[in-house]
Amino acid sequence: MKEKDFSRISLRARKREEYRHELRKFISEGSGHYRCRFADVAYELGDMYRKGEGGMQDIAKAYYYYLQAEYAVTLRLQVKRRGEDEAFLAKVRLVLTQLRRRLKYGSERLYCSVHPFVLFQALEEGHELIVSFRRMKSGRIKVIGARLPKGSVHGHHGSRMLITYDHFHYCELRDFVITYAQNVQDIWYAHNPDCISVDSITMVMGEDGINRTEFYHKGKMVAYICAEDYVVSSGRPRYMRF
């Protein structure tokens, strides 16, 4: 029984490794890389989470990967129109519609969360960010994060990132991400607020609803924000309706 369980876990781990490999190619500069298998692997990983293959079932995570598959195959079709890709896109969109109903996601233009999820996504796979903090007239703190290049893929430095906004029903390749801290009680940074290197973020949840987001670089805290929540604005094209 233990051997069987290990085999199931290993199956998902192998698929995730394949996913990371294809993602590195997909985010590389140049539309030619959109021809890679990233759309297919993202869909297969979504299937595993939807069906509970290789681990626990998680339809929210499945929806996340299906959105990436939809976006990737759409870009692939822009490079070359193929009947099989058009059929694949229709299949992905059917599954997305079914899961959207189950998850009861609406058509929000703003999404609030207790943590800055776009920054967590930008940090995935061991990347580092340059983060800047801008105080707005409204009292919000605008947090901008840009990924630092990490090696290269086929001669291209990959600072781009794939950000998935599941509550907005889309994802996109970005050079930077933006989120706004709301109801800020305190903010501190060690050095220049326009250029802070960050390699990890930790959330400390407060009982009073004010949570502390701690920014670290090489094990040392370099900034923190005490805020109630974070808001992200949808950049989804207006023609997309759900």
Side-chain angles (χ1 to χ4, degrees):
M1 183 67 179
K2 290 183 178 179
E3 183 178 350
K4 181 179 179 181
D5 289 342
F6 177 80
S7 176
R8 290 174 67 240
I9 295 171
S10 177
L11 181 67
R12 187 176 288 186
R14 289 197 300 271
K15 184 58 65 177
R16 285 202 57 81
E17 182 60 34
E18 185 182 3
Y19 167 87
R20 286 191 289 267
H21 175 73
E22 294 298 325
L23 175 60
R24 286 193 293 270
K25 291 192 288 186
F26 179 70
I27 66 176
S28 300
E29 299 292 343
S31 61
H33 294 293
Y34 299 155
R35 296 175 181 171
C36 71
R37 293 193 66 254
F38 177 69
D40 310 274
V41 176
Y43 181 86
E44 291 164 3
L45 195 54
D47 263 0
M48 296 184 79
Y49 278 98
R50 180 170 63 93
K51 299 174 182 177
E53 296 176 353
M56 295 291 292
Q57 183 186 47
D58 187 337
I59 61 170
K61 200 70 174 177
Y63 189 74
Y64 174 94
Y65 288 115
Y66 286 137
L67 283 174
Q68 293 184 351
E70 179 192 36
Y71 178 65
V73 75
T74 299
L75 293 183
R76 197 161 70 190
L77 280 164
Q78 292 177 10
V79 176
K80 184 177 180 181
R81 303 297 299 186
R82 299 195 311 168
E84 53 264 44
D85 275 345
E86 291 176 343
F88 177 62
L89 179 59
K91 180 173 71 171
V92 175
R93 286 178 171 169
L94 176 61
V95 178
L96 283 171
T97 300
Q98 294 170 346
L99 290 189
R100 192 175 297 124
R101 292 169 182 162
R102 292 178 62 184
L103 291 166
K104 297 181 180 179
Y105 287 167
S107 56
E108 299 92 339
R109 301 298 298 182
L110 294 174
Y111 177 65
C112 292
S113 173
V114 295
H115 58 81
F117 74 92
V118 291
L119 296 179
F120 281 104
Q121 285 193 41
L123 284 167
E124 287 179 350
E125 308 300 336
H127 286 278
E128 293 187 18
L129 303 179
I130 290 293
V131 174
S132 67
F133 303 111
R134 308 284 176 83
R135 192 178 296 274
M136 312 298 289
K137 291 182 180 179
S138 63
R140 291 176 172 179
I141 300 296
K142 182 179 183 180
V143 186
I144 306 171
R147 182 179 283 180
L148 289 171
K150 180 184 177 183
S152 62
V153 180
H154 302 299
H156 296 283
H157 292 280
S159 59
R160 292 198 303 172
M161 46 194 150
L162 180 63
I163 303 298
T164 304
Y165 306 88
D166 47 1
H167 283 265
F168 299 150
H169 317 298
Y170 87 114
C171 59
E172 63 180 343
L173 288 166
R174 296 294 304 266
D175 293 317
F176 61 89
V177 292
I178 298 175
T179 187
Y180 295 87
Q182 298 191 123
N183 302 313
V184 177
Q185 299 297 311
D186 193 15
I187 180 172
W188 169 85
Y189 36 83
H191 303 294
N192 185 347
D194 291 327
C195 188
I196 297 175
S197 297
V198 174
D199 58 21
S200 65
I201 297 175
T202 299
M203 296 295 300
V204 180
M205 312 305 285
E207 295 181 358
D208 57 356
I210 302 299
N211 306 308
R212 177 161 148 156
T213 306
E214 299 177 345
F215 300 81
Y216 288 86
H217 186 250
K218 297 183 178 179
K220 181 180 179 181
M221 188 189 300
V222 292
Y224 67 72
I225 299 177
C226 296
E228 187 173 316
D229 54 24
Y230 293 82
V231 63
V232 174
S233 175
S234 170
R236 187 177 69 231
R238 294 184 180 275
Y239 63 78
M240 297 176 69
R241 293 288 183 267
F242 300 102

